[in-house]
Amino acid sequence: MRSLAATQPGASARRAPMASLLRAAAASRTRTVSVSATMKNSRTAELRRLLKGNDILLGPCCHDALSAKLIEQAGFPYAFMSGFCTAGARLGAPDTGLISYAEMLDTGRNIHEATHSMPIIGDGDTGYGNAMNVKRTVRGYAGAGFAGILIEDQVAPKSCGHVRGKRVVGREEAVSRIRAAVDARNEGADILIVARTDARQAVSLEEALWRAEAFAAAGADVLFIDALESEDEMRAFTRLGGAAASVPKMANMLEGGGKTPVLPPSALQAMGFKLVAYPLSLLGVSIRAMQDALEGLRRGRVPPVEALGTFADIQAAVGFPDYYAEEKRYAISSPTSSAASGPAHSSSAAPPPPPPPPPPSSSSSSSTYSSTTTRSPPVVEPVVVDEPGSSPSASWPLPKDTPRSSSSTASSSGSSSSSSYGSSSSYTSSVPSAPKAAPAEQQSSGSGAGGAGSDPNYRRNMSLRVRIADINTGVVKLETRVPAGFLNGLSALVPQVSGLNIQSMLEQAMGPGGVLPQPGQPLVNLNSGRDNIQIFLE
């Protein structure tokens, strides 16, 4: 049976320049730079194996990590990352060349991180520029993990093959793009080249068939003519001879009213297609489901379980069970040790400190106070929430870059905090109180105790080690360090301590006359729910 292509007017004209094009393609391949080291991609090897098999390959199109994850969970042999769907999902924009190479590459990396081994073909559009851009795009997609990349012959800005206004570049530039992609593959990018032409809608079926055969001669691994309009045109494509005869062909079953007839897989396989892409199934049903859910919510109706699924179903879909199973492998049975210079400490909460001694009477001399501090520094608990009109600042001079609040003494802060935390047993503090500020002449002479008298920026030289462990199991969930000068970052990292006056605690521990906690002794020891939160000053 003769193919439709052979009966088309101008078929001889299509074949006439083919010999010269084959010679040019062969000469190009002989000049290709060989690269000895090639990074192999197991997904590319799997796609090659699938293409050699007898089964037709059905591939839904993904647009993000979750959709790709669901395709793999459903057991499909491969997927196609559609530019149409990715532009719609990521940008909320049409497929008209608005999405960039970097955005497509970033989506591809996320998709491959979310999946295990399923081969994925990425939409490389026009290659984002000239032939040199095409080579860079191919290498980038290969590095992101794609098993294949589609390169097409539209002019920029490109658009979906089934919408109006199709334009393609000339034959020479179209073939040059595919040659560049093939060269990038041969130079080390372990990826298959899917060559697409949009000439059927831009020019004619005859032109599309010519370009498909030329792309095969240039070394493409898969051929694709988009927006074929009938079963006869589809058969003409699959029956191409010459270099295209043995190259796998891909069909695009655009759901919902595209130009190409939507046929069952068995019919497509009988025609000679090897791959089938379903571009809109997932994005389309997602859009409709979200619209229906929003309409119901606007009327005060939550989606039913039949449409939404249970919370457990949603957790399973995004990977919570797998995460928890893997997390057990790295569980820490014993608490993380403290700093190398300090002793190991238990993950359980430290016992409350002894109550602070009464302040010295007005008749007591300074020598009496001094003898008290030499035995053991008094302990106070910090103010958790400042009362109106109160100040968290200590009585000694603050660093030059610290704003001064209204005056209050350390002793008054200590007495107010005692009532604030008197009823709570889940929080203990090891912050030593600072003695009263020395006279100005003593401060200027450097006689004050503590390490901050000569360093107005003392907090910048210290860090806070944050450690969060499970109270019951002792498993350490988080251990990190935050500069002592960035307290806003600390409360953002550990919201449970946002109510504590960490700044006042640091000033009491590090200001003139302050006594730093012993190595391994936490500045803060707080139980919140199932978590024990400890903060060490280092």
Side-chain angles (χ1 to χ4, degrees):
M1 179 177 180
R2 298 176 62 193
S3 69
L4 177 62
T7 64
Q8 290 293 325
S12 59
R14 174 168 58 85
R15 292 192 298 269
M18 185 61 65
S20 60
L21 187 140
L22 287 171
R23 287 193 296 271
S28 172
R29 287 198 296 273
T30 60
R31 293 191 297 267
T32 299
V33 178
S34 61
V35 177
S36 57
T38 301
M39 182 175 292
K40 295 298 182 182
N41 183 351
S42 60
R43 303 195 193 210
T44 305
E46 175 63 9
L47 183 57
R48 287 193 179 98
R49 186 191 69 80
L50 291 170
L51 290 173
K52 293 177 181 178
N54 297 323
D55 297 331
I56 190 169
L57 307 177
L58 309 181
C61 287
C62 58
H63 51 269
D64 58 13
L66 180 58
S67 58
K69 189 183 190 80
L70 295 176
I71 292 172
E72 185 174 49
Q73 289 175 352
F76 283 89
Y78 91 103
F80 186 93
M81 192 187 87
S82 160
F84 182 105
C85 299
T86 305
R90 177 158 180 158
L91 304 182
D95 180 24
T96 53
L98 296 176
I99 195 164
S100 68
Y101 162 75
E103 289 167 323
M104 291 290 287
L105 197 64
D106 181 62
T107 301
R109 291 193 183 103
N110 292 338
I111 284 175
H112 285 89
E113 184 176 344
T115 54
H116 296 288
S117 58
M118 176 180 65
I120 301 169
I121 298 173
D123 191 346
D125 290 338
T126 62
Y128 304 97
N130 62 12
M132 297 304 294
N133 291 96
V134 171
K135 294 186 73 172
R136 179 173 183 262
T137 299
V138 171
R139 289 193 296 264
Y141 274 48
F146 284 105
I149 180 172
L150 180 146
I151 299 294
E152 62 192 55
D153 59 358
Q154 287 194 57
V155 300
K158 56 87 60 186
S159 64
C160 169
H162 292 252
V163 300
R164 65 185 184 183
K166 290 276 85 51
R167 293 183 303 147
V168 292
V169 298
R171 287 183 174 184
E172 184 178 8
E173 183 176 354
V175 176
S176 176
R177 289 180 184 175
I178 303 304
R179 285 170 47 205
V182 170
D183 285 349
R185 179 200 65 194
N186 294 342
E187 291 167 8
D190 190 18
I191 193 169
L192 300 185
I193 308 302
V194 180
R196 161 180 160 174
T197 178
D198 287 79
R200 171 62 189 91
Q201 296 301 317
V203 185
S204 65
L205 173 65
E206 184 70 16
E207 179 66 16
L209 295 173
W210 186 95
R211 293 188 180 213
E213 191 171 345
F215 294 164
D221 298 293
V222 177
L223 301 176
F224 172 37
I225 299 179
D226 200 14
L228 294 169
E229 294 188 353
S230 68
E231 294 185 31
D232 286 341
E233 290 186 0
M234 296 167 73
R235 291 189 185 93
F237 172 40
T238 59
R239 293 172 183 172
L240 277 174
S246 59
V247 180
K249 318 294 191 302
M250 186 170 79
N252 185 25
M253 297 289 96
L254 185 71
E255 313 90 325
K259 296 182 180 296
T260 303
V262 177
L263 304 175
S266 58
L268 293 171
Q269 187 172 19
M271 285 182 178
F273 287 101
K274 186 61 183 177
L275 300 95
V276 184
Y278 296 93
L280 299 182
S281 291
L282 297 190
L283 181 63
V285 299
S286 299
I287 292 173
R288 178 56 59 87
M290 287 190 283
Q291 289 173 335
D292 291 345
L294 292 170
E295 178 64 22
L297 291 173
R298 192 173 65 85
R299 299 174 182 273
R301 296 196 301 265
V302 175
V305 174
E306 293 78 11
L308 178 70
T310 65
F311 184 43
D313 295 334
I314 298 173
Q315 291 182 73
V318 299
F320 272 96
D322 293 339
Y323 176 89
Y324 289 141
E326 187 174 3
E327 183 186 37
K328 291 180 180 179
R329 181 178 179 184
Y330 306 105
I332 303 174
S333 58
S334 59
T336 302
S337 61
S338 61
S341 60
H345 55 274
S346 171
S347 61
S348 60
S361 62
S362 59
S363 61
S364 300
S365 64
S366 61
S367 61
T368 303
Y369 185 85
S370 176
S371 63
T372 302
T373 58
T374 57
R375 291 194 299 269
S376 62
V379 178
V380 298
E381 295 185 354
V383 178
V384 178
V385 179
D386 296 327
E387 295 295 334
S390 66
S391 169
S393 300
S395 59
W396 54 77
L398 299 180
K400 294 179 181 179
D401 56 348
T402 304
R404 179 180 295 276
S405 304
S406 59
S407 62
S408 65
T409 63
S411 60
S412 64
S413 175
S415 61
S416 64
S417 65
S418 177
S419 60
S420 300
Y421 260 105
S423 60
S424 174
S425 61
S426 63
Y427 174 85
T428 63
S429 170
S430 304
V431 181
S433 66
K436 294 181 180 179
E441 60 272 12
Q442 293 183 16
Q443 293 181 17
S444 63
S445 63
S447 61
S454 60
D455 182 8
N457 299 317
Y458 57 85
R459 274 171 45 194
R460 298 183 183 178
N461 301 324
M462 305 293 287
S463 64
L464 297 174
R465 179 164 61 88
V466 182
R467 181 179 180 277
I468 302 179
D470 189 283
I471 293 177
N472 298 322
T473 65
V475 173
V476 177
K477 301 179 179 179
L478 172 69
E479 186 154 8
T480 187
R481 282 178 170 78
V482 177
F486 294 91
L487 299 184
N488 290 337
L490 175 63
S491 58
L493 178 67
V494 188
Q496 296 95 319
V497 303
S498 57
L500 303 181
N501 197 335
I502 305 293
Q503 178 175 342
S504 177
M505 298 164 66
L506 289 174
E507 291 166 357
Q508 294 177 41
M510 301 168 64
V515 180
L516 295 174
Q518 293 296 319
Q521 182 182 16
L523 183 73
V524 171
N525 196 2
L526 171 66
N527 289 341
S528 176
R530 295 183 55 185
D531 294 335
N532 172 239
I533 303 168
Q534 294 179 317
I535 300 177
F536 301 85
L537 181 61
E538 297 177 343

